[in-house]
C-alpha cells in the first residue's frame, strides 16, 4: 500500500489520492485545490492547527511533535 | 533484487523488533537489551548493529506500532463507519496490542522525548479519524457543543483509565470485557 509522502497517510482507494489520481505520491489532504502538493510551511501549519484542535496540545508541543513527524517523511527530508 | 545478505539483515531487524515488542509488553520499557537479545537468540552486539541506541530501538518500535494502527484504522475508515463502529474499531485495534499499549501509556512519561512525540503522532491518527466521523455524523446525531479536543481526550481518558487500572475491573482483557459498555455510555455522554 502506498503512503502519502507528505503526511504518511495510507492511500488505498482512489479518493485517498490527490485529485483521485493514483499515480500521485501524496494524498487528498496534502493537495492544494489545483492538485499541487502543499508547501512545507502550509502543511506544517495545518498539521499544527489540526493537532491543537483535536488534541488540545500546547502550541510548542504541537510544533515539536509535527516537526518530528514531518522529519521522517520523504517529501520534507530536505527541509530539515 | 535483494541479496541474501540484505534479506537476512532485514529478517534479523524484524526479529529484534518483534522480540522487543513482546519483552516490553511483558516487562515494561525498563527491560534490558541483554534480555531482548537472549529472547531473540541473537548476540547482544547484534542489537546495536541494527539500533545504535536503546532510544533508537524504542522509537523504531513505536513508529512501527503507529504505522500498524494507522493502517488498521484507515482500512476500517473505508467502510462507511459511524461513531459507534469507529469507537469499536479503535478498541479492537488496541485489543490486538493491549499488553504493549498498556505499558506504553503507563510509562510514556519516562520514555525519551522523541518517543513522546511519536506517541502524540500515534494519537493524531486516531483523532484524525474521530474528527472525520464526528463531522460526517453531525447531521445524523446531535453532539453536545464540546470542543473537539475534549471529545477526543475524554474518549482516550476513559479507555486509558480502564487500561491502566485493569485489575479494578477484570482479571482478563479489560477492553474485551468492557468494550460495549464503554462505547455505549461514551456516546450517551457526548450526545445531546
Amino acid at each position: 500500500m502506498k503512503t502519502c509522502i507528505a503526511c504518511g497517510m495510507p492511500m488505498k482507494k482512489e479518493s485517498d489520492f490527490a485529485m483521485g489520481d493514483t499515480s500521485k505520491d501524496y494524498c487528498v489532504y496534502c493537495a492544494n485545490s489545483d492538485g499541487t502538493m502543499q508547501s512545507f510551511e502550509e502543511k506544517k501549519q495545518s498539521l499544527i492547527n489540526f493537532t491543537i484542535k483535536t488534541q488540545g496540545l500546547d502550541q510548542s508541543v504541537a510544533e515539536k511533535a509535527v516537526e518530528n513527524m514531518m522529519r521522517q517523511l520523504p517529501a520534507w527530508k530536505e527541509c530539515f | 533484487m535483494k541479496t541474501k545478505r540484505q534479506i537476512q539483515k532485514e529478517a534479523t531487524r524484524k526479529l529484534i523488533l518483534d522480540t522487543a515488542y513482546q519483552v516490553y509488553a511483558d516487562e515494561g520499557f525498563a527491560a534490558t537489551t541483554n534480555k531482548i537479545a537472549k529472547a531473540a537468540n541473537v548476540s547482544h552486539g547484534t542489537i546495536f548493529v541494527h539500533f545504535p541506541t536503546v532510544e533508537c530501538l524504542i522509537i523504531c518500535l513505536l513508529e512501527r506500532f503507529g504505522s500498524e494502527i494507522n493502517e488498521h484504522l484507515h482500512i476500517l475508515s473505508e467502510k462507511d463507519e459511524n461513531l459507534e463502529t469507529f469507537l469499536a474499531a479503535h478498541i479492537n485495534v488496541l485489543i490486538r496490542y493491549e499488553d504493549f499499549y498498556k505499558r506504553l501509556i503507563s510509562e510514556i512519561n519516562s520514555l525519551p522525548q522523541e518517543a513522546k512525540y511519536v506517541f502524540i503522532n500515534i494519537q493524531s491518527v486516531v483523532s484524525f479519524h474521530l474528527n472525520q466521523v464526528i463531522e460526517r455524523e453531525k447531521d445524523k446525531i446531535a453532539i453536545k457543543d464540546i470542543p473537539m479536543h475534549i471529545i477526543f481526550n475524554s474518549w482516550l481518558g476513559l479507555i486509558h483509565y480502564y487500561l491502566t487500572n485493569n485489575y479494578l475491573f477484570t482479571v482478563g482483557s479489560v477492553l474485551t470485557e468492557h468494550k460495549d459498555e464503554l462505547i455505549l455510555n461514551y456516546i450517551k455522554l457526548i450526545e445531546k
Side-chain angles (χ1 to χ4, degrees):
Chain A
M1 192 195 304
K2 257 183 163 178
T3 55
C4 173
I5 58 166
C7 75
M9 185 184 95
M11 301 190 291
K12 207 177 175 195
K13 53 187 188 297
E14 246 178 49
S15 59
D16 290 335
F17 291 81
M19 312 288 275
D21 178 354
T22 54
S23 69
K24 291 239 187 325
D25 294 322
Y26 50 95
C27 75
V28 59
Y29 303 105
C30 293
N32 293 308
S33 50
D34 64 356
T36 56
M37 195 175 80
Q38 289 176 11
S39 70
F40 175 71
E41 281 307 325
E42 277 173 316
K43 191 68 213 170
K44 184 176 154 188
Q45 204 47 56
S46 81
L47 284 171
I48 290 170
N49 293 344
F50 186 80
T51 310
I52 293 172
K53 178 192 163 197
T54 59
Q55 293 182 71
L57 302 188
D58 176 78
Q59 172 88 23
S60 65
V61 176
E63 279 174 14
K64 284 185 186 136
V66 165
E67 277 175 12
N68 196 274
M69 191 261 267
M70 291 180 86
R71 193 175 288 128
Q72 322 291 330
L73 295 162
W76 318 116
K77 284 264 187 251
E78 286 167 14
C79 301
F80 290 95
Chain B
M1 197 174 144
K2 285 176 187 167
T3 63
K4 202 176 166 188
R5 195 181 150 82
Q6 279 171 320
I7 294 170
Q8 179 62 42
K9 202 175 168 189
E10 281 173 19
T12 308
R13 184 183 162 86
K14 184 178 179 301
L15 171 70
I16 294 169
L17 284 171
D18 290 346
T19 311
Y21 170 86
Q22 200 50 57
V23 171
Y24 288 144
D26 293 341
E27 300 181 23
F29 288 91
T32 63
T33 44
N34 222 340
K35 191 140 208 172
I36 294 167
K38 274 188 189 145
N41 209 14
V42 298
S43 73
H44 195 205
T46 303
I47 292 195
F48 294 99
V49 170
H50 293 269
F51 306 96
T53 62
V54 181
E55 194 173 309
C56 283
L57 172 63
I58 292 175
I59 288 161
C60 278
L61 194 56
L62 290 190
E63 281 171 350
R64 189 179 74 157
F65 173 64
S67 302
E68 285 172 9
I69 290 198
N70 199 352
E71 214 166 294
H72 284 303
L73 288 180
H74 189 75
I75 289 168
L76 288 158
S77 76
E78 284 182 2
K79 299 165 189 163
D80 283 331
E81 91 263 49
N82 56 36
L83 183 56
E84 191 178 335
T85 55
F86 169 76
L87 297 175
H90 184 215
I91 287 196
N92 286 339
V93 169
L94 295 182
I95 287 172
R96 291 171 68 120
Y97 306 98
E98 193 161 334
D99 289 338
F100 180 78
Y101 190 75
K102 218 186 286 176
R103 291 283 183 188
L104 181 58
I105 58 172
S106 306
E107 299 180 26
I108 187 66
N109 287 322
S110 59
L111 293 183
Q113 191 58 47
E114 205 184 327
K116 289 180 189 151
Y117 293 138
V118 178
F119 181 71
I120 293 172
N121 291 321
I122 291 172
Q123 303 305 357
S124 292
V125 170
V126 185
S127 73
F128 169 77
H129 286 289
L130 180 62
N131 184 60
Q132 273 194 328
V133 174
I134 297 269
E135 290 290 325
R136 213 170 37 226
E137 289 275 286
K138 259 181 187 166
D139 302 332
K140 294 180 205 154
I141 57 167
I143 304 284
K144 279 182 189 153
D145 190 18
I146 309 171
M148 187 56 217
H149 67 276
I150 300 290
I151 291 183
F152 176 66
N153 290 343
S154 303
W155 169 245
L156 217 50
L158 182 64
I159 52 175
H160 285 187
Y161 179 77
Y162 272 71
L163 277 168
T164 49
N165 296 290
N166 197 134
Y167 72 99
L168 293 177
F169 306 105
T170 178
V171 286
S173 156
V174 74
L175 290 184
T176 306
E177 287 187 35
H178 291 268
K179 182 170 109 177
D180 296 339
E181 182 198 7
L182 293 178
I183 294 169
L184 185 76
N185 289 296
Y186 172 74
I187 293 175
K188 275 188 196 165
L189 286 172
I190 64 165
E191 227 177 349
K192 261 183 193 162

